[in-house]
Amino acid sequence: MKKDHQAEVLSVLPDVFPENWAHSYGQDNYGIWQGVFIDNIEVRFRWIPPGEFMMGSPEDEPERYDDEGPLHRVAFKKGFWLGETACTQALWQSVTGKNPSEFKDQGIEYPVESVSWDDANNFIDRLNSLVPGLDVRLPSEAEWEYACRAGTDTPFWFGHELTPDKANYNGGRPYNDGPKGEYREKTVPVKFFEQNPWGLYQMHGNVWEWCRDRWHDNYDGAPDDGRAWEDGDSDAIVCRGGSWISYGGLLRSASRSFRHLGLGDDFGGLRLARGPQVRSGLGTGRRPGKGARDERKGQRGRS
């Protein structure tokens, strides 16, 4: 990121900082952050400044899917906060008393996975009850992509090329005919790779991250202000970012997938958001509808 852009980002600050719930806060080269401790586990949130971006992928981007279009402008009048990392096993276990992760033997600083959308929302409700005023939620799909790009317009925030030293994915299936590399065949700790220009770890790869939006086959009719697109009666929910099992093209900033809200798998987790939106619309506790399936095998459930 250019230095002048960095200065611009740092000048667009929230109305209140730090907030009353914050146990820790600060500012660094990536911007401002504030955190909360749950049983000595610090959860940090990074400030995502207001602005606008082109959501989706251009038609000439290698390995794109039609559901990533049409390319359209989304403008955020207000900033929001996003978890510095994916939710860890440590945090999930502290809040719920359980660890459902397939890779729980690896360590509690690995991302929690094998959690459904319903599980994620129940976890969020419990976390919010522990910290009055925290009001965390899942991000909208637009918020997720805006934060992932962090002012960039390339397939990945770090450019046009992907290698296993930048993200955790199936290095045997590289992006855009790039060189093959390591396939770790499991998750890695949430801070394993470099932060993006807004201070977020691993927006590309490791685990797919749940969003709030229902799945739509394209962006025709999508909100242009960053709100979650919650219309419709589908039980399929958007997830973003790609995972440890994904081939390279699925880690692109614009790449999309879905899972059914009652299903969890070992390549799906979540990242917490908070900010001007109030979580509403889709309720918790719903079960997948008729025809729900394991999306590891489905065309749209890209892993």
Side-chain angles (χ1 to χ4, degrees):
M1 177 179 254
K2 296 181 180 179
K3 290 185 178 179
D4 59 347
H5 192 178
Q6 182 70 29
E8 177 184 346
V9 167
L10 293 177
S11 70
V12 184
L13 300 176
D15 294 335
V16 178
F17 175 78
E19 296 178 69
N20 290 335
W21 55 264
H23 297 153
S24 58
Y25 61 93
Q27 181 172 350
D28 55 24
N29 291 334
Y30 299 105
I32 61 174
W33 58 269
Q34 54 186 338
V36 64
F37 284 90
I38 307 294
D39 290 340
N40 295 318
I41 300 166
E42 186 184 28
V43 185
R44 285 190 178 183
F45 295 88
R46 288 280 175 178
W47 173 245
I48 310 301
E52 60 182 40
F53 80 117
M54 295 302 294
M55 185 173 179
S57 61
E59 293 185 2
D60 62 351
E61 183 166 297
E63 301 191 28
R64 79 181 294 270
Y65 286 82
D66 289 342
D67 58 45
E68 297 167 17
L71 197 64
H72 60 292
R73 188 175 301 279
V74 175
F76 293 88
K77 293 183 178 180
K78 295 183 178 181
F80 58 96
W81 299 88
L82 193 62
E84 185 177 74
T85 72
C87 177
T88 63
Q89 295 179 26
L91 177 61
W92 187 281
Q93 185 167 312
S94 180
V95 172
T96 68
K98 301 177 181 179
N99 186 351
S101 304
E102 178 69 20
F103 299 108
K104 58 187 173 184
D105 293 337
Q106 300 295 317
I108 58 175
E109 289 309 310
Y110 284 61
V112 70
E113 24 78 11
S114 303
V115 294
S116 69
W117 191 87
D118 285 343
D119 294 335
N121 278 286
N122 289 331
F123 161 80
I124 285 170
D125 289 341
R126 294 186 68 171
L127 178 56
N128 284 333
S129 70
L130 293 175
V131 186
L134 184 61
D135 297 332
V136 292
R137 55 178 173 79
L138 293 174
S140 71
E141 183 178 15
E143 288 174 332
W144 193 98
E145 185 174 329
Y146 177 61
C148 176
R149 291 187 178 279
T152 68
D153 59 5
T154 47
F156 311 94
W157 69 258
F158 42 74
H160 293 271
E161 297 180 353
L162 175 67
T163 52
D165 63 335
K166 296 179 179 177
N168 186 26
Y169 64 103
N170 183 347
R173 301 186 65 182
Y175 171 64
N176 195 27
D177 297 322
K180 292 184 178 181
E182 181 181 7
Y183 178 25
R184 298 177 177 88
E185 301 186 58
K186 61 182 181 180
T187 57
V188 296
V190 295
K191 293 185 178 181
F192 195 79
F193 297 102
E194 182 183 4
Q195 293 160 276
N196 80 359
W198 287 348
L200 303 171
Y201 287 96
Q202 292 179 206
M203 298 295 283
H204 301 296
N206 214 24
V207 289
W208 287 100
E209 297 179 2
W210 286 113
C211 294
R212 291 172 54 201
D213 309 56
R214 293 184 189 271
W215 175 260
H216 296 79
D217 289 335
N218 56 55
Y219 289 132
D220 288 333
D224 62 3
D225 58 1
R227 289 179 296 114
W229 196 3
E230 299 178 275
D231 296 342
D233 58 2
S234 171
D235 284 321
I237 305 296
V238 173
C239 48
R240 287 298 207 109
S243 74
W244 61 271
I245 201 173
S246 300
Y247 58 86
L250 294 183
L251 271 64
R252 292 172 300 108
S253 298
S255 178
R256 313 171 66 218
S257 186
F258 71 71
R259 299 288 182 268
H260 287 277
L261 56 85
L263 302 178
D265 45 49
D266 61 9
F267 45 85
L270 71 149
R271 186 181 300 257
L272 299 172
R274 63 177 313 279
Q277 298 183 21
V278 177
R279 187 160 58 89
S280 62
L282 284 162
T284 59
R286 295 183 58 197
R287 302 269 73 83
K290 184 178 181 180
R293 64 187 188 283
D294 181 352
E295 289 305 312
R296 187 194 297 261
K297 303 175 183 177
Q299 178 183 2
R300 286 300 185 205
R302 304 173 193 137
S303 56

